[in-house]
Amino acid sequence: MTEPFDVVDVIRTKRDGGELAPEQIDWVVDAYTRGAVGDEQMAALAMSIFIRGMNRAEISRWTQAMIDSGETMDFASLPRPTADKHSTGGVGDKITLPLAPLVAAFDVAVPQLSGRGLGHTGGTLDKMEAIAGWQAEIPNEQIMHMLGSGPGAVICAAGAGLAPADKKLYALRDITSTVDCVPLISSSIMSKKIAEGTDSLVLDVKVGSGAFMKDLDSARELATTMVALGTDHGVKTTAFLTDMDTPLGLTAGNALEVREAVEVLAGGGPADVIELTVALAREMLASAGKPDVDVEAALADGRAMDRWKAMVREQGGDPDAPLPVAEHTHDIVAETDGYLSRLDALAVGISAWRLGAGRARKGEQVQAVAGVELHAKPGDRVKRGQPVMTLHTATPERFDRAIDALEGGYDICEEKPAVRQSVVLDRIAGE
Ligand code: URA
């Protein structure tokens, strides 16, 4: 086949700060997906985009080209409106687990086609797989049944057919240090979400040490770009900027996080996890045309828990089976009396990862039991000798490196520190 463009010209255009033509973008994404452009050439182009950026028209076209690389889903035949949520990834971020059944309790369908974790942020599927028997891979017919006449929510693996260009490109970006780049992140996330076919989408863009975006300005730029892409493609899209300087809730690690999510569904759980679950649920329900429902009531009276149990059972899981528990634990104790003034999300995330909760390479097994359990959050009083955290693992030889990761990751001070009042820092709405 004769190719209409020369990839070297495309790379050079971007390398020199030029704008890619729409036809060049369509071609290069398609040619990369079918193997006519090599990994080394796409790596050079990704690095040029990382350094030079892309304008709004280029990002929009790149996103559409990635959507066009595969199949799209269509939920138009469902009897319920659809609303989805996407988080850019953080430490202890188990919000999808209580959120999906909570929104479904109001008859809004939630298609959570999710991924596995890589690096220090956990993946939703890895968490769900801590539940005995639960299966991530299910056919499209079962997804439609669960959303239409079943529990109304599904958390499952995104099929290989959705945006295959992104799957290939994301794996390449991961090994060429080109992940944390607004045009590439926004087109990657939004191509999958638009291809999935949801009516509306709420984005949880994390800001802080444990997130891709370390400061508010870059998080706002990412959120604004993704909201515009969703809006351009007919998906009602809103974004929240939320704090990820400190872990969300009191657990980071797969089974530990499922336990905490179930506590929220039972009407309890840590304040920040409840706050974010409720805020995102309200936004999703408002986007789906249900702005005035009492979200908290569905957590308190068991409606959300009923949907959760039905959702887990549909995928072969036993929601009442005990969660696995680590055989080995190690306490990190306070060295002085005082207040915990800082607890770094990245340090906790890396520690949980080193304990076995995450994977260093694609396809590696993760431990269900591994992770970090927090006994105090910033602002809490601690006493000398009291455990501040407990590390959990099935393989105790991992403790030393996990402890090293926490070195300098928390401070204890004499004066009560000022702490964040709310985990939600800002909201960005589409037009
Ligand atoms: N998540 C994605 O799906 N893509 C990115 O580029 C970054 C995070």
Side-chain angles (χ1 to χ4, degrees), residues 3-274:
E3 301 292 342
F5 294 95
D6 182 344
V7 67
V8 177
D9 291 338
V10 178
I11 297 167
R12 189 185 306 115
T13 302
K14 190 44 76 184
R15 185 201 67 186
D16 294 346
E19 179 177 345
L20 298 179
E23 299 74 22
Q24 285 181 313
I25 292 176
D26 295 349
W27 173 78
V28 80
V29 171
D30 173 59
Y32 179 58
T33 312
R34 57 188 163 76
V37 163
D39 274 343
E40 66 289 356
Q41 294 168 317
M42 191 47 120
L45 181 57
M47 188 56 84
S48 303
I49 293 171
F50 184 96
I51 293 165
R52 295 293 194 170
M54 286 203 283
N55 65 29
R56 167 96 183 260
E58 289 174 292
I59 300 174
S60 189
R61 192 75 177 210
W62 189 278
T63 305
Q64 187 62 50
M66 296 223 287
I67 297 168
D68 293 343
S69 72
E71 65 188 31
T72 50
M73 294 190 72
D74 186 358
F75 297 131
S77 62
L78 293 178
R80 301 161 166 157
T82 47
D84 195 4
K85 184 266 312 193
H86 181 84
S87 156
T88 56
V91 178
D93 184 4
K94 70 279 295 172
I95 300 293
T96 294
L97 278 58
L99 179 67
L102 174 59
V103 172
F106 294 94
D107 252 348
V108 169
V110 186
Q112 277 286 330
L113 308 191
S114 306
R116 289 172 205 285
L118 194 63
H120 74 274
T121 62
T124 298
L125 300 182
D126 297 327
K127 297 175 211 234
M128 293 297 290
E129 281 172 348
I131 302 169
W134 187 85
Q135 295 297 321
E137 322 276 337
I138 57 170
N140 284 359
E141 301 73 55
Q142 190 179 348
I143 296 177
M144 294 304 276
H145 153 72
M146 287 179 71
L147 294 174
S149 50
V154 60
I155 299 174
C156 64
L162 284 184
D166 176 63
K167 286 207 174 60
K168 208 170 163 188
L169 180 55
Y170 190 77
L172 183 71
R173 288 167 54 213
D174 201 42
I175 55 166
T176 55
S177 201
T178 48
V179 170
D180 43 345
C181 159
V182 167
L184 293 175
I185 298 179
S186 57
S187 54
S188 164
I189 292 174
M190 294 307 289
S191 61
K192 287 174 286 203
K193 288 292 160 186
I194 295 164
E196 173 197 288
T198 183
D199 297 327
S200 60
L201 175 65
V202 178
L203 297 161
D204 179 4
V205 178
K206 303 286 185 198
V207 192
S209 77
F212 279 128
M213 298 293 135
K214 307 290 181 202
D215 62 82
L216 213 46
D217 285 348
S218 54
R220 189 169 280 117
E221 188 194 343
L222 177 63
T224 308
T225 307
M226 291 198 290
V227 167
L229 283 173
T231 309
D232 286 353
H233 285 84
V235 180
K236 190 168 172 21
T237 308
T238 315
F240 283 0
L241 305 185
T242 71
D243 181 82
M244 189 34 70
D245 264 333
T246 207
L248 200 49
L250 294 169
T251 56
N254 301 312
L256 291 169
E257 292 193 49
V258 175
R259 188 188 78 195
E260 193 169 279
V262 172
E263 282 166 17
V264 173
L265 287 161
D272 56 352
V273 180
I274 301 169

